[in-house]
Amino acid sequence: MNALLSQFVNLLASALLMLSFAMISQRRILSLIHLFTLQGATLVAATILVGYATNQPHLYFSAGLTFLLKVVAIPLLLHRAIDRLNVRWDIETLINIPTMMIVGIGLVIFAFNLALPIAKLSATVARGTLGIALACVLLSFMMMITRAKAIPQVIGFLSMENALFFAATAATYGMPMVVELGIALDVLVGILILGVFMFQIREQFDSLDIRHLERLKEE
Amino acid sequence: MSLLPDFAHWQQLDGVLAVVTAWLALGATGVFALRRFGFVTKVLFPLGGLLGLLLSGIALTAVFQEPATAVLPLGLPGLPFHLRLDGLSSFFLLVIGATGAGVSVYAAGYFGRGEGTPPGLICLEYHAFLATMALVVLADDAYVFMVAWETMALSSFFLVTANHRIPEIREAGYLYLLVAHIGAIAILLCFGVLQANTGDYTFANMRAQHLTSFWSSAAFLLALFGFGAKAGLLPLHVWLPEAHPAAPSPVSALMSGVMLKTAIYGILRVSFDLLQTQRWWWGVLMLALGLASALFGVVFAAAQVDMKRLLAYSSIENIGLLCAGIGLAVVFSSYGMKPLAALALTASLYHVASHAFFKSLLFLSTGSVLHATGERNLGRLGGLIRFTPWIAWVTLIGVLASAGLPPFSGFVSEWLLLQSFLFTPGLPDSFLNMLIPVVAALIALVAALAGYTMVKFFGIIFLGQPREEKLQRARDAGPWERGGMAWLVMGCIALGLQPEQFIQIIDPVTRLLVHAGLGDNVAGHGWLLVPVAVDRASYGPIIFLLGVAACFLLAFLVVRLLYHGRVRRAAPWDCGYPWQTARMQDTAEGFGQPIRQIFEPFFRMTRELPDPGDEAPRYHVTIADHFWHWLYLPIAAVVERAARLIGTLQQGRIAVYLLYSFITLLAMLVLVRS
Amino acid sequence: MNALAFASQALEILVALLLGPLLTGWVNQWRARLQNRTAPSLFLPFRTLHKLFIKEAVVAEHASPLFRAAPYIVFGCMVLACGIVPTLSTDLPLAPAADAIALVGLFALARVFISLAAMDIGTSFGTLGARREMLIGFLAEPALLMVLFSASLISKSTSLTTIVETLAHRELAIYPSLAFASVAFTMVSLAENARVPVDNPTTHLELTMIHEAMILEYSGRHLALIEWAASLKLFAYSCIGLALFFPWGVAEAQAPLALILALPVLVLKLAIGGIALAVFETVSAKMRIFRVPEFLAAAFLLAVIGMLVHILLGT
């Protein structure tokens, strides 16, 4: 039974990785938000499962918190933001998907190799997934680097936070409650600030393309 | 002491030497019959082919024998020729003999029309080329090896420049000679490292040396560079697409089918035989270089518009795959996983034989097409299957084998190679384990791209409508050409259908190199090829062929019985568009366009697009090699600058030259005194 | 090797020949229903085949023998493929002759022949179709191979029957690598069977078609064989998918009863799969041709990631 549960956690971890790849190869902003919501939901499921498998009730709380924040609140905020910015059907044009995926595979190999020795030290049910979580972090980071528009960058940032959260769950059964609450608050504040920031650049440059910010440097 | 050799006690080695001598004698005869076309082409070349057959027969028996050695009192005093015939050299002799036989018979027809060089000279160069290739694999000391190696390079250089009145061909020959010599220097240095300051350059001595990790790696790297230059590994591949199209087709066939394999022989000899232990990173390096060459070669092949250049790039691809297989064998061998090393090595050796047959066949068929039409440019060919059906059907077999399709020979080696990758998980190093799926994926991609390239090659030349008027007068191949190509086709089919028999021949070779073989596993499964166990993997090409053939025939008969077999000939439909011309078909550029677009970073493209208002719009695209621009041209520039610096020494006045000599003399005297 | 094995082999090929066109008809029926059209009969493909067989075959004047042989070769390849994939039983005498890699080779052989036949007449559409088909093929083929390898890594075998036996008769276990493989496989089979996001099986709009462009010059029995072969290909791909991801219900050796039970299970699985395909085709739009390499490259890379995940979690 425990073996099956652990395999199920692995499956959810793989789903997270797959969603990360889907996100780096998605050009539409709307689909990106959907994928982000799905990633949050997968994270919630994985957390509940790890909590059940290891009998750690505090993981249920953090799962609930994640659900409220990442499946309900942030997607809602993002939807409102793209409506008000009128970028619901925007498409990012400048990404070369196969190249991104090849770089992604390189990152995955790197992350897996990095995680193997750490995973051997750990004794948790989800130790095998540490490599996947690390890969997700790196992929989200790459997404932030390669995107030119503001909203995909914000989503990349949020998905990186998701991956970090999953890594914590996988490696040490989550962080202490205080830290978790703090991070949740941070993310929420972060998204608000970023929202304000997005409206600001929109007003300044009449576009959400953050390459315009390059003009702000000193001449 | 009798002058007659003792035939009753002849060993295989004596037989091989006799064939080599006879080849040289044939070549010498050619010099005396310099311009007698009939004699040279219809007597000497077929005799050479017969000798090739004999050589392959002798080699076939020698594979299973214990190694035999001989010392010939030739060469410099105190430096006799050491020769050795073991499993590895026998296997390569088999390939040289069998391929050489087909090519020689073909050449009897091909050279009948004359090239720029008198036929007698071509005969000399050709047979010297064959004989020295055989000597290269026989050599048992560095001295013979280098003599044979250099003679091989020189004779092939003269063959490449057979039409030496054309400037491009002279340039191609020069480039080839240059790269060959740079490679030879590296090989020489490699032998220098291997003999470890003992001053004894026999291979037996090199085997006995135990080099430190640093020196053995240095020897390996030098060998990889030197032999890689001959084989056409990245980044030393540039001579291949120039030299192969320049040479007459039988020569391209020999160079691509056989000569490149002597370089593979050299890599195998040095890394598995002369160096006793392997390091894992050598294997990874070879894997990486091999895969890069394979992908590069196939992508460039798909974009070519000259049929012989296309095949030359495809040779780079195949050499890359071979190299990847050997690299995998090195990795396995360094971790002591002998059965897996044997599997990977068997795959590579199988590909050596299979590539020798199908690539020679394809080069020969381009020769026939060239003679029939006078065209090498794919953009001016087309529809030849209707005018030269013999060439077309023979080429189709070669194309299917080259595309790695079952049940032909290319598929077997590809299958074995992929099998060896699948059995990989279990390497002690996790990083290598992770790399393996990526590598397997790349090999699968290369194989699939080879299919694309071959469909382009065959489809553009033989199918569709003739793109030029004159193609309709093309004449099919003559009897000699047919004979030579038929022999190679038989090779492709036999290698494809009887892998379990051929693996028995490879078994002693892998036993010699990695102390394990597939022979015992493969035996006893009837028509199935089973490398490890039936429930792990099996492949039965004959059953496969019978299955497809049975379905074909049944469908044919049932349709005729139940319905009818009526056919009406009419003009092509083409969506009802009546004004079809041959120029509306895809050109070679058009067929390569998706590849050019997808793999754009591989190419250095210059494109000329017409304006919208152009009266006579022309589209022009040329593709070039990044390596040429970023690696070779800068090196050439540096060399030229250095030459100009040295050139300032040249004054043109005798007094100044005498002064140089005088100063040198003084300096020498001072040196000697101190 | 016994009589039962040969019987199940023969039965399997027969079932494929019959169920192949039915599956095509079933998918077409559901597509029509989902698009609010009156659905054609389930047996329409058979009637079309019959009609085509009766008709006289019109062949272009300058067609070579290759053009006339290709439909039979393609048909033969597809029948053999259906005979190799374990659909009803894993006790198949033909199966040892071709493992997963040879199966991919078999599909490639068929593809090469149909592309060559398309180039033979020398019309602009024929060569265009051939080029596009090879473009799809060179990406789909390695992707399919990687999907099969993901399963091979689990069962440590490339033999299709061993793969199905290990996957179907193990204790229940979840393999995350198969999740990647299944996504990749779905993408590949859509492309390989000329389905909607890549190609449209019903289109005759010249600039968008791929498969149809290649077979424009065929008529009569040749066209019938090619259509039948296309149905068989869809059937074979569906069965590979079922064998890898839903392997339950396939009979093992020496089990005549299970063999009888296997047929209804297969029909049920295919029916569900067919509806899923129809739904997917209805809700998605066709891609531009130069998005297709991207789509297939994604499939290829996903399959590779699947293998990596297997190695990570397996060690």
Side-chain angles (χ1 to χ4, degrees):
Chain A
M1 191 57 201
N2 211 358
L4 205 63
L5 274 178
S6 134
Q7 282 168 355
F8 206 72
V9 173
N10 284 349
L11 183 71
L12 287 175
S14 307
L16 278 181
L17 183 60
M18 213 182 309
L19 286 170
S20 293
F21 268 98
M23 280 163 99
I24 61 168
S25 54
Q26 183 54 258
R27 288 194 177 93
R28 283 176 192 283
I29 285 179
L30 187 64
S31 310
L32 217 49
I33 296 175
H34 290 327
L35 284 172
F36 172 73
T37 316
L38 209 59
Q39 197 186 35
T42 315
L43 192 60
V44 170
T47 317
I48 292 176
L49 210 63
V50 173
Y52 175 74
T54 57
N55 203 12
Q56 307 240 2
H58 81 263
L59 281 179
Y60 295 143
F61 288 109
S62 63
L65 195 64
T66 315
F67 180 79
L68 281 180
L69 196 63
K70 286 170 188 157
V71 185
V72 182
I74 293 180
L76 222 63
L77 280 173
L78 285 171
H79 275 289
R80 281 187 51 191
I82 58 171
D83 273 344
R84 295 206 10 221
L85 291 164
N86 202 14
V87 289
R88 180 168 272 267
W89 306 109
D90 247 25
I91 292 172
E92 187 107 33
T93 45
L94 282 167
I95 52 174
N96 180 347
I97 290 172
T99 316
M100 301 257 293
M101 288 195 74
I102 288 170
V103 176
I105 284 189
L107 290 179
V108 167
I109 294 178
F110 177 75
F112 282 11
N113 275 297
L114 213 62
L116 269 181
I118 307 171
K120 279 193 183 114
L121 295 176
S122 163
T124 61
V125 265
R127 63 179 176 278
T129 56
L130 190 59
I132 295 182
L134 195 53
C136 289
V137 173
L138 295 180
L139 287 174
S140 313
F141 218 126
M142 191 176 85
M143 181 177 156
M144 285 175 68
I145 293 168
T146 51
R147 294 305 173 114
K149 299 229 162 102
I151 293 181
Q153 273 208 331
V154 172
I155 294 175
F157 166 74
L158 291 169
S159 101
M160 185 161 78
E161 204 277 330
N162 273 353
L164 279 173
F165 182 86
F166 182 67
T169 314
T172 60
Y173 299 139
M175 295 163 276
M177 212 51 190
V178 185
V179 181
E180 221 156 81
L181 279 173
I183 290 177
L185 201 65
D186 270 0
V187 169
L188 208 57
V189 171
I191 196 94
L192 289 176
I193 293 173
L194 284 167
V196 173
F197 160 76
M198 279 189 282
F199 285 106
Q200 283 297 321
I201 37 176
R202 170 59 168 259
E203 252 167 46
Q204 284 291 319
F205 303 107
D206 202 30
S207 147
L208 274 182
D209 202 325
I210 45 180
R211 275 169 302 169
H212 291 297
L213 295 184
E214 288 163 17
R215 274 195 253 146
L216 293 179
K217 68 179 179 206
E218 269 180 80
E219 289 300 324
Chain B
M1 195 176 112
S2 156
L3 277 176
L4 273 178
D6 185 6
F7 285 107
H9 292 94
W10 264 35
Q11 303 280 318
Q12 278 89 353
L13 181 55
D14 302 301
V16 173
L17 282 176
V19 170
V20 171
T21 322
W23 264 339
L24 289 173
L26 279 183
T29 320
V31 179
F32 292 109
L34 207 52
R35 287 184 196 283
R36 287 167 61 189
F37 270 102
F39 175 68
V40 169
T41 55
K42 298 300 175 295
V43 178
L44 294 184
F45 272 99
L47 271 178
L50 214 58
L51 287 171
L53 211 56
L54 185 65
L55 178 70
S56 59
I58 297 170
L60 196 56
T61 58
V63 170
F64 301 101
Q65 304 286 328
E66 285 296 303
T69 54
V71 182
L72 295 188
L74 295 167
L76 298 175
L79 274 178
F81 280 15
H82 293 80
L83 301 177
R84 184 164 184 264
L85 183 70
D86 59 7
L88 183 63
S89 38
S90 308
F91 177 78
F92 279 87
L93 282 176
L94 179 63
V95 173
I96 294 171
T99 318
V103 177
S104 292
V105 172
Y106 177 92
Y110 187 89
F111 287 129
R113 313 219 192 148
E115 298 280 330
T117 306
L121 268 186
I122 288 191
C123 175
L124 171 70
E125 293 154 9
Y126 180 89
H127 287 105
F129 184 38
L130 277 177
T132 44
M133 280 196 289
L135 265 184
V136 162
V137 298
L138 278 181
D140 198 32
D141 66 47
Y143 175 53
V144 187
F145 189 93
M146 289 316 295
V147 168
W149 186 259
E150 287 291 283
T151 322
M152 179 177 89
L154 272 181
S155 53
S156 53
F157 163 73
F158 284 119
L159 285 170
V160 166
T161 52
N163 290 308
H164 49 81
R165 285 188 182 77
I166 303 169
E168 288 86 35
I169 288 184
R170 280 204 304 275
E171 277 171 24
Y174 174 69
L175 181 66
Y176 166 51
L177 202 63
L178 191 70
V179 176
H181 275 93
I182 293 171
I185 293 169
I187 297 170
L188 198 62
L189 288 176
C190 162
F191 287 137
V193 172
L194 280 172
Q195 53 92 27
N197 281 332
T198 51
D200 183 355
Y201 280 85
T202 58
F203 285 176
N205 175 51
M206 293 179 193
R207 274 183 208 108
Q209 301 302 324
H210 292 284
L211 296 174
T212 58
S213 164
F214 173 77
W215 284 113
S216 63
S217 297
F220 172 80
L221 288 178
L222 282 168
L224 189 62
F225 182 86
F227 291 116
K230 195 64 154 187
L233 277 184
L234 234 54
L236 297 163
H237 62 280
V238 283
W239 64 272
L240 244 142
E242 305 299 327
H244 281 318
S249 289
V251 177
S252 323
L254 270 193
M255 282 174 68
S256 174
V258 189
M259 189 189 73
L260 299 186
K261 307 302 161 22
T262 59
I264 296 296
Y265 164 83
I267 292 178
L268 285 174
R269 179 63 83 193
V270 170
S271 50
F272 282 102
D273 188 25
L274 300 184
L275 289 166
Q276 296 293 326
T277 51
Q278 291 85 32
R279 318 248 167 261
W280 65 268
W281 63 265
W282 301 357
V284 175
L285 180 67
M286 281 186 81
L287 257 177
L289 273 180
L291 283 172
S293 306
L295 192 62
F296 173 88
V298 76
V299 166
F300 264 75
Q304 293 306 310
V305 290
D306 177 310
M307 58 181 178
K308 289 181 89 174
R309 276 180 89 92
L310 185 149
L311 290 182
Y313 276 112
S314 151
S315 292
I316 298 178
E317 168 225 332
N318 281 291
I319 288 292
L321 286 182
L322 272 174
C323 204
I326 296 172
L328 194 62
V330 169
V331 172
F332 284 137
S333 177
S334 70
Y335 285 117
M337 303 160 101
K338 294 199 160 63
L340 288 177
L343 181 60
L345 206 54
T346 305
S348 297
L349 290 172
Y350 209 97
H351 201 60
V352 165
S354 123
H355 181 244
F357 277 103
F358 69 68
K359 193 47 66 62
S360 306
L361 174 63
L362 290 180
F363 266 118
L364 294 186
S365 80
T366 59
S368 290
V369 169
L370 190 63
H371 267 183
T373 63
E375 280 298 340
R376 241 174 49 189
N377 188 335
L378 290 173
R380 299 188 179 178
L381 291 163
L384 284 180
I385 196 169
R386 288 181 272 286
F387 315 117
T388 61
W390 219 91
I391 307 176
W393 289 106
V394 165
T395 312
L396 182 63
I397 304 282
V399 158
L400 292 178
S402 173
L405 293 173
F408 297 99
S409 61
F411 180 74
V412 179
S413 35
E414 192 192 312
W415 189 82
L416 286 169
L417 195 58
L418 284 173
Q419 288 293 347
S420 50
F421 278 104
L422 269 187
F423 288 121
T424 307
L427 280 173
D429 189 311
S430 69
F431 178 64
L432 286 181
N433 268 339
M434 300 256 169
L435 227 47
I436 293 300
V438 179
V439 173
L442 269 177
I443 287 195
L445 179 67
V446 167
L449 273 166
Y452 187 99
T453 311
M454 284 299 137
V455 165
K456 169 180 169 174
F457 176 77
F458 188 80
I460 301 276
I461 298 179
F462 293 104
L463 301 178
Q465 298 173 36
R467 290 180 177 79
E468 297 270 312
E469 192 69 17
K470 65 178 176 185
L471 298 184
Q472 302 190 355
R473 296 187 296 278
R475 292 246 311 276
D476 214 341
W480 290 105
E481 303 181 358
R482 289 185 188 194
M485 295 205 293
W487 167 253
L488 296 173
V489 164
M490 268 162 46
C492 291
I493 295 176
L495 277 172
L497 291 184
Q498 290 284 328
E500 64 281 358
Q501 307 289 336
F502 282 92
I503 285 176
Q504 297 299 345
I505 301 173
I506 296 176
D507 176 72
V509 186
T510 55
R511 278 186 198 286
L512 187 81
L513 296 184
V514 294
H515 313 291
L518 289 186
D520 298 336
N521 282 337
V522 171
H525 289 286
W527 283 351
L528 289 182
L529 170 60
V530 180
V532 180
V534 181
D535 59 345
R536 289 203 72 158
S538 61
Y539 166 56
I542 294 185
I543 306 174
F544 186 95
L545 181 65
L546 287 179
V548 175
C551 297
F552 183 106
L553 284 176
L554 269 178
F556 187 77
L557 289 176
V558 169
V559 169
R560 303 267 145 149
L561 280 178
L562 289 182
Y563 294 96
H564 59 89
R566 285 196 300 280
V567 160
R568 184 158 59 88
R569 294 280 181 166
W573 152 238
D574 198 37
C575 284
Y577 186 70
W579 296 285
Q580 276 289 315
T581 69
R583 293 182 60 86
M584 291 181 189
Q585 304 170 85
D586 250 16
T587 54
E589 284 96 344
F591 214 88
Q593 188 264 350
I595 301 290
R596 280 205 312 272
Q597 175 159 1
I598 295 171
F599 295 96
E600 206 180 341
F602 280 61
F603 301 106
R604 212 182 143 72
M605 252 189 290
T606 45
R607 236 183 318 209
E608 288 170 32
L609 292 171
D611 287 338
D614 222 329
E615 285 295 310
R618 281 185 66 81
Y619 169 78
H620 187 71
V621 60
T622 49
I623 48 172
D625 190 340
H626 279 304
F627 284 99
W628 189 250
H629 189 259
W630 292 113
L631 185 67
Y632 285 83
L633 290 184
I635 291 177
V638 169
V639 170
E640 257 175 33
R641 200 169 306 148
R644 214 168 296 132
L645 273 181
I646 297 168
T648 52
L649 291 176
Q650 206 176 6
Q651 295 290 330
R653 279 172 55 191
I654 291 183
V656 177
Y657 294 146
L658 284 173
L659 184 68
Y660 291 155
S661 305
F662 184 65
I663 293 170
T664 316
L665 187 66
L666 284 183
M668 293 288 270
L669 285 173
V670 170
L671 261 175
V672 167
R673 204 184 140 264
S674 59
Chain C
M1 293 273 181
N2 53 10
L4 187 66
F6 281 99
S8 55
Q9 180 73 72
L11 181 71
E12 205 179 285
I13 291 179
L14 205 67
V15 163
L17 285 175
L18 292 176
L19 279 189
L22 279 185
L23 178 64
T24 312
W26 176 251
V27 175
N28 287 345
Q29 222 178 26
W30 273 95
R31 266 167 61 118
R33 274 184 205 144
L34 289 167
Q35 291 162 6
N36 272 340
R37 290 184 281 128
T38 316
S41 155
L42 190 61
F43 298 96
L44 186 65
F46 276 115
R47 286 191 203 142
T48 315
L49 287 181
H50 181 64
K51 180 185 77 185
L52 287 172
F53 275 124
I54 289 175
K55 283 190 171 185
E56 172 180 61
V58 183
V59 174
E61 288 144 344
H62 52 276
S64 72
L66 183 75
F67 180 78
R68 293 174 64 183
Y72 295 97
I73 296 177
V74 173
F75 183 73
C77 287
M78 289 309 155
V79 173
L80 189 63
C82 290
I84 292 165
V85 180
T87 48
L88 296 175
S89 160
T90 57
D91 187 21
L92 302 170
L94 268 182
D99 63 349
I101 306 174
L103 180 74
V104 176
L106 194 59
F107 286 130
L109 188 67
R111 174 173 32 244
V112 164
F113 267 100
I114 196 155
S115 305
L116 289 178
M119 293 176 85
D120 187 49
I121 306 295
T123 59
S124 41
F125 287 126
T127 39
L128 175 139
R131 164 158 54 99
R132 289 181 176 175
E133 171 78 4
M134 291 313 289
L135 165 68
I136 289 176
F138 93 75
L139 282 164
E141 192 184 313
L144 178 63
L145 205 55
M146 290 303 115
V147 169
L148 291 168
F149 278 7
S150 303
S152 307
L153 282 180
I154 291 170
S155 56
K156 299 198 169 29
S157 162
T158 59
S159 155
L160 287 165
T161 48
T162 315
I163 291 175
V164 172
E165 271 169 15
T166 353
L167 291 180
H169 302 283
R170 61 183 179 207
E171 50 185 310
L172 189 64
I174 300 163
Y175 292 102
S177 63
L178 282 187
F180 284 92
S182 64
V183 174
F185 179 78
T186 314
M187 293 163 86
V188 170
S189 35
L190 288 172
E192 281 274 55
N193 288 294
R195 290 283 148 182
V196 150
V198 177
D199 190 6
N200 188 347
T202 53
T203 187
H204 280 94
L205 190 66
E206 287 89 344
L207 289 176
T208 59
M209 57 191 176
I210 301 171
H211 182 74
E212 288 296 318
M214 285 197 298
I215 60 174
L216 266 182
E217 297 299 324
Y218 278 113
S219 59
R221 58 175 180 279
H222 299 136
L223 184 59
L225 283 171
I226 287 182
E227 296 283 353
W228 205 344
S231 299
L232 285 176
K233 191 176 183 184
L234 180 63
F235 178 81
Y237 264 88
S238 316
C239 288
I240 296 171
L242 294 178
L244 293 184
F245 310 115
F246 306 97
W248 303 284
V250 177
E252 275 189 270
Q254 314 295 339
L257 206 69
L259 195 62
I260 298 167
L261 199 68
L263 188 58
V265 173
L266 176 71
V267 170
L268 187 71
K269 286 197 278 190
L270 282 177
I272 298 171
I275 297 174
L277 176 61
V279 171
F280 187 83
E281 279 201 293
T282 309
V283 299
S284 44
K286 199 182 156 313
M287 279 183 283
R288 282 197 295 136
I289 186 85
F290 276 109
R291 286 271 179 264
V292 172
E294 231 167 51
F295 178 76
L296 285 170
F300 180 41
L301 297 174
L302 269 183
V304 174
I305 297 166
M307 288 172 78
L308 287 175
V309 165
H310 175 84
I311 290 175
L312 172 79
L313 297 177
T315 46

